Amino acid sequence: MSQTNMQLFHGIVTTIRDISSSNRIYTVIIPEKGISVRAKSGTMLELLEPVQLSTHDKNGLYEAEPTDKHYSEYQTALQEVCLRLRIQEPSLPDIGKHGVDMSLALNAQIIAAASRIIRNIASGAPISVHFHSDGDGSTGAIGLYRGIRAASSAMQADYKAIKWEAVRGIAYAEDSLYADELFFKSFSSAERPITLITDFGSSPESNRSIKHLAEISDIIWIDHHPPDKGFVQPESLYINPWNHGGDSSLSAGFITCMLGSAMGADNVEDMMLVSLISDHTSLAKPDKTNEEKAAVLDAINIHNPDGVPNTPQYMEAVLSDAAKFSHILSESTAQMDEATSIGLRCGKRVMSKMGFPIFILNFEKVAKMKFSYIKMGKYTSTLHSVLEKDGTQLVTIVYHNRYISARASKRIASTSILIETVRKMSEDKEEVENAGGHMEAVSMRLADNNAAEISKKFASYLGAQPSAALL
């Protein structure tokens, strides 16, 4: 095809990604069509430079070259693309009045976050997503992925400037900050990078890294844990129901799925409900299909059978692969049943002077079995659920080496005794390195390998009589 017969478009360079010293990929907005595309060029183009685009290759990359056409306003060009996507109020499943009221209180922030994200999708600017590596964090990542995919499709933008990281810890650590810095440095973009963090907890351990992160990117932080008094909330967008009179029963995954819905995903309500089940919140409703999805997402975040990163794309693939899904569900359920049986046989039960039982287990007896799909935090939740099936309201404490995990039944949790006790204990930095959670579920990482002694102290704070036979 001759040059004269080619359909030509005029656009403006909005993002440059350095693939190598001699290879750059450009994102170019085409105002007349209201879309953005990815392009290559034999000429080194500059940010916000007007270009002319011709046909694209088999990989969808257009050929770009400088042009004399002038665009005086980048913002006008960006608006033309963003107009293709109408940000909407999130669609919600039936979670009762309390859940809906908490969700509606977050709508303004959700819409602000969605509006901010689509500017990066349209312009090709980078986004880094960090989600807690459990069922709650994973459902949020899947919901966000569906939203980004829907927005990208609506704007005809082939958006690829995003990275995903599943994180086991509850803080934004320096290694994640370093990885984000390297990622962002490979781009030059008209829009600032975005870092989105969901279900990490709001603890002072993140403060130092957040301060530096704010210098290189905008931050969207989504959480449902009570903010620690020492936590410095990001100035850009910090979304937490506790700041709006809500509580932890609205999970972080649910809130992140709301963001995906606001960006145009019409199929995230399943992940919202799975998130509530995975996090054992009071808003969760029994549903066999969603319970199985929650179990599988929890399982692959503990042990990935394929040994690949737990990206939303991978997790979606597992959920849609009937054979793999069934195998993981069967294996993980069998292991949890056996591990729970061990816990019921080996744990100790004592009474608190406040009138409720405390069940305490040394996780070593389970750890020795080397189950691939068992992690102490999720195990504590499952064991606790089994213990309260007969209606007993109790506290469950599981400990191992430097870690303690605890759960409280709804009536006990409503008094805040669990979270307040952990906060009190965490003031002694010689014993507790860090701690966090919400009213129903908490965890502590200890300074030394003395979980048995600290668990005994923990139980005594909850009203158990000090006893050498306790553990």
Side-chain angles (χ1 to χ4, degrees), residues 412-432:
I412 300 168
S414 67
T415 68
S416 300
I417 186 174
L418 195 64
I419 186 68
E420 292 302 329
T421 299
V422 165
R423 284 177 172 170
K424 179 179 179 181
M425 294 178 68
S426 67
E427 292 173 1
D428 187 348
K429 295 302 180 185
E430 292 186 2
E431 287 189 345
V432 180

mmCIF file of all heavy atoms in Angstrom, residues 412-432:
data_model
loop_
_atom_site.group_PDB
_atom_site.id
_atom_site.type_symbol
_atom_site.label_atom_id
_atom_site.label_comp_id
_atom_site.label_asym_id
_atom_site.label_seq_id
_atom_site.Cartn_x
_atom_site.Cartn_y
_atom_site.Cartn_z
ATOM 1 N N ILE A 412 -18.042 -10.962 71.243
ATOM 2 C CA ILE A 412 -16.812 -10.574 71.953
ATOM 3 C C ILE A 412 -16.078 -9.494 71.168
ATOM 4 O O ILE A 412 -15.597 -8.509 71.740
ATOM 5 C CB ILE A 412 -15.908 -11.808 72.159
ATOM 6 C CG1 ILE A 412 -16.627 -12.865 72.990
ATOM 7 C CG2 ILE A 412 -14.594 -11.413 72.829
ATOM 8 C CD1 ILE A 412 -15.932 -14.208 73.002
ATOM 9 N N ALA A 413 -16.022 -9.674 69.856
ATOM 10 C CA ALA A 413 -15.308 -8.704 69.015
ATOM 11 C C ALA A 413 -15.937 -7.328 69.097
ATOM 12 O O ALA A 413 -15.231 -6.303 69.032
ATOM 13 C CB ALA A 413 -15.298 -9.191 67.569
ATOM 14 N N SER A 414 -17.256 -7.266 69.270
ATOM 15 C CA SER A 414 -17.945 -5.973 69.287
ATOM 16 C C SER A 414 -17.519 -5.100 70.458
ATOM 17 O O SER A 414 -17.720 -3.881 70.441
ATOM 18 C CB SER A 414 -19.460 -6.186 69.328
ATOM 19 O OG SER A 414 -19.858 -6.775 70.564
ATOM 20 N N THR A 415 -16.909 -5.702 71.493
ATOM 21 C CA THR A 415 -16.416 -4.921 72.634
ATOM 22 C C THR A 415 -15.045 -4.316 72.359
ATOM 23 O O THR A 415 -14.536 -3.548 73.179
ATOM 24 C CB THR A 415 -16.307 -5.810 73.879
ATOM 25 O OG1 THR A 415 -15.252 -6.780 73.687
ATOM 26 C CG2 THR A 415 -17.613 -6.544 74.161
ATOM 27 N N SER A 416 -14.435 -4.684 71.216
ATOM 28 C CA SER A 416 -13.089 -4.212 70.817
ATOM 29 C C SER A 416 -11.978 -4.755 71.707
ATOM 30 O O SER A 416 -10.839 -4.293 71.627
ATOM 31 C CB SER A 416 -13.013 -2.674 70.801
ATOM 32 O OG SER A 416 -13.932 -2.132 69.891
ATOM 33 N N ILE A 417 -12.284 -5.748 72.548
ATOM 34 C CA ILE A 417 -11.272 -6.247 73.474
ATOM 35 C C ILE A 417 -10.066 -6.845 72.748
ATOM 36 O O ILE A 417 -8.930 -6.679 73.174
ATOM 37 C CB ILE A 417 -11.885 -7.280 74.463
ATOM 38 C CG1 ILE A 417 -10.830 -7.678 75.510
ATOM 39 C CG2 ILE A 417 -12.408 -8.506 73.722
ATOM 40 C CD1 ILE A 417 -11.398 -8.570 76.605
ATOM 41 N N LEU A 418 -10.317 -7.513 71.606
ATOM 42 C CA LEU A 418 -9.215 -8.174 70.905
ATOM 43 C C LEU A 418 -8.254 -7.150 70.316
ATOM 44 O O LEU A 418 -7.045 -7.193 70.573
ATOM 45 C CB LEU A 418 -9.775 -9.081 69.814
ATOM 46 C CG LEU A 418 -8.793 -10.105 69.221
ATOM 47 C CD1 LEU A 418 -8.355 -11.094 70.281
ATOM 48 C CD2 LEU A 418 -9.442 -10.836 68.048
ATOM 49 N N ILE A 419 -8.771 -6.217 69.523
ATOM 50 C CA ILE A 419 -7.902 -5.242 68.868
ATOM 51 C C ILE A 419 -7.257 -4.314 69.887
ATOM 52 O O ILE A 419 -6.079 -3.946 69.753
ATOM 53 C CB ILE A 419 -8.686 -4.447 67.790
ATOM 54 C CG1 ILE A 419 -7.748 -3.533 67.000
ATOM 55 C CG2 ILE A 419 -9.820 -3.656 68.395
ATOM 56 C CD1 ILE A 419 -6.771 -4.245 66.119
ATOM 57 N N GLU A 420 -7.981 -3.932 70.943
ATOM 58 C CA GLU A 420 -7.400 -3.032 71.945
ATOM 59 C C GLU A 420 -6.307 -3.730 72.747
ATOM 60 O O GLU A 420 -5.297 -3.115 73.111
ATOM 61 C CB GLU A 420 -8.493 -2.506 72.881
ATOM 62 C CG GLU A 420 -9.487 -1.571 72.212
ATOM 63 C CD GLU A 420 -8.817 -0.356 71.586
ATOM 64 O OE1 GLU A 420 -7.771 0.099 72.105
ATOM 65 O OE2 GLU A 420 -9.331 0.150 70.571
ATOM 66 N N THR A 421 -6.482 -5.018 73.008
ATOM 67 C CA THR A 421 -5.446 -5.772 73.723
ATOM 68 C C THR A 421 -4.172 -5.859 72.889
ATOM 69 O O THR A 421 -3.060 -5.664 73.397
ATOM 70 C CB THR A 421 -5.951 -7.188 74.060
ATOM 71 O OG1 THR A 421 -7.087 -7.096 74.905
ATOM 72 C CG2 THR A 421 -4.863 -7.997 74.767
ATOM 73 N N VAL A 422 -4.325 -6.133 71.617
ATOM 74 C CA VAL A 422 -3.158 -6.228 70.743
ATOM 75 C C VAL A 422 -2.455 -4.869 70.634
ATOM 76 O O VAL A 422 -1.224 -4.784 70.634
ATOM 77 C CB VAL A 422 -3.578 -6.744 69.351
ATOM 78 C CG1 VAL A 422 -2.481 -6.514 68.323
ATOM 79 C CG2 VAL A 422 -3.912 -8.216 69.435
ATOM 80 N N ARG A 423 -3.222 -3.797 70.531
ATOM 81 C CA ARG A 423 -2.608 -2.469 70.480
ATOM 82 C C ARG A 423 -1.829 -2.171 71.754
ATOM 83 O O ARG A 423 -0.730 -1.597 71.700
ATOM 84 C CB ARG A 423 -3.687 -1.409 70.258
ATOM 85 C CG ARG A 423 -4.186 -1.356 68.817
ATOM 86 C CD ARG A 423 -5.313 -0.355 68.654
ATOM 87 N NE ARG A 423 -5.661 -0.181 67.250
ATOM 88 C CZ ARG A 423 -6.715 0.480 66.822
ATOM 89 N NH1 ARG A 423 -7.547 1.044 67.695
ATOM 90 N NH2 ARG A 423 -6.960 0.599 65.527
ATOM 91 N N LYS A 424 -2.390 -2.566 72.886
ATOM 92 C CA LYS A 424 -1.691 -2.358 74.155
ATOM 93 C C LYS A 424 -0.399 -3.157 74.196
ATOM 94 O O LYS A 424 0.657 -2.644 74.589
ATOM 95 C CB LYS A 424 -2.603 -2.762 75.313
ATOM 96 C CG LYS A 424 -1.966 -2.607 76.690
ATOM 97 C CD LYS A 424 -2.943 -3.013 77.781
ATOM 98 C CE LYS A 424 -2.295 -2.893 79.162
ATOM 99 N NZ LYS A 424 -3.242 -3.315 80.243
ATOM 100 N N MET A 425 -0.451 -4.413 73.762
ATOM 101 C CA MET A 425 0.740 -5.259 73.778
ATOM 102 C C MET A 425 1.802 -4.761 72.801
ATOM 103 O O MET A 425 2.999 -4.890 73.040
ATOM 104 C CB MET A 425 0.353 -6.703 73.454
ATOM 105 C CG MET A 425 -0.513 -7.358 74.508
ATOM 106 S SD MET A 425 -1.004 -9.049 74.086
ATOM 107 C CE MET A 425 0.595 -9.885 74.199
ATOM 108 N N SER A 426 1.368 -4.179 71.683
ATOM 109 C CA SER A 426 2.330 -3.722 70.668
ATOM 110 C C SER A 426 3.103 -2.490 71.098
ATOM 111 O O SER A 426 4.075 -2.107 70.450
ATOM 112 C CB SER A 426 1.603 -3.442 69.349
ATOM 113 O OG SER A 426 0.732 -2.340 69.478
ATOM 114 N N GLU A 427 2.691 -1.856 72.189
ATOM 115 C CA GLU A 427 3.440 -0.707 72.708
ATOM 116 C C GLU A 427 4.793 -1.122 73.258
ATOM 117 O O GLU A 427 5.719 -0.304 73.331
ATOM 118 C CB GLU A 427 2.628 0.006 73.790
ATOM 119 C CG GLU A 427 1.372 0.697 73.251
ATOM 120 C CD GLU A 427 0.492 1.254 74.353
ATOM 121 O OE1 GLU A 427 0.872 1.107 75.540
ATOM 122 O OE2 GLU A 427 -0.565 1.830 74.039
ATOM 123 N N ASP A 428 4.921 -2.387 73.647
ATOM 124 C CA ASP A 428 6.206 -2.910 74.140
ATOM 125 C C ASP A 428 6.991 -3.462 72.954
ATOM 126 O O ASP A 428 6.853 -4.624 72.586
ATOM 127 C CB ASP A 428 5.959 -4.007 75.173
ATOM 128 C CG ASP A 428 7.248 -4.486 75.847
ATOM 129 O OD1 ASP A 428 8.346 -4.134 75.353
ATOM 130 O OD2 ASP A 428 7.149 -5.203 76.850
ATOM 131 N N LYS A 429 7.836 -2.612 72.346
ATOM 132 C CA LYS A 429 8.568 -2.998 71.145
ATOM 133 C C LYS A 429 9.649 -4.039 71.425
ATOM 134 O O LYS A 429 10.157 -4.673 70.501
ATOM 135 C CB LYS A 429 9.188 -1.767 70.480
ATOM 136 C CG LYS A 429 8.157 -0.776 69.951
ATOM 137 C CD LYS A 429 7.219 -1.428 68.937
ATOM 138 C CE LYS A 429 6.189 -0.459 68.394
ATOM 139 N NZ LYS A 429 5.200 -1.133 67.504
ATOM 140 N N GLU A 430 9.993 -4.240 72.665
ATOM 141 C CA GLU A 430 10.950 -5.296 72.989
ATOM 142 C C GLU A 430 10.313 -6.673 72.871
ATOM 143 O O GLU A 430 11.005 -7.676 72.736
ATOM 144 C CB GLU A 430 11.512 -5.093 74.400
ATOM 145 C CG GLU A 430 12.398 -3.867 74.528
ATOM 146 C CD GLU A 430 13.053 -3.782 75.893
ATOM 147 O OE1 GLU A 430 12.836 -4.705 76.715
ATOM 148 O OE2 GLU A 430 13.779 -2.803 76.131
ATOM 149 N N GLU A 431 8.991 -6.722 72.914
ATOM 150 C CA GLU A 431 8.282 -7.989 72.789
ATOM 151 C C GLU A 431 7.563 -8.122 71.442
ATOM 152 O O GLU A 431 7.638 -9.175 70.810
ATOM 153 C CB GLU A 431 7.256 -8.142 73.923
ATOM 154 C CG GLU A 431 7.873 -8.418 75.270
ATOM 155 C CD GLU A 431 6.841 -8.779 76.315
ATOM 156 O OE1 GLU A 431 5.635 -8.552 76.085
ATOM 157 O OE2 GLU A 431 7.241 -9.296 77.382
ATOM 158 N N VAL A 432 6.876 -7.077 71.016
ATOM 159 C CA VAL A 432 6.058 -7.140 69.800
ATOM 160 C C VAL A 432 6.654 -6.219 68.738
ATOM 161 O O VAL A 432 6.690 -5.008 68.903
ATOM 162 C CB VAL A 432 4.596 -6.740 70.088
ATOM 163 C CG1 VAL A 432 3.773 -6.811 68.805
ATOM 164 C CG2 VAL A 432 3.994 -7.645 71.168
#
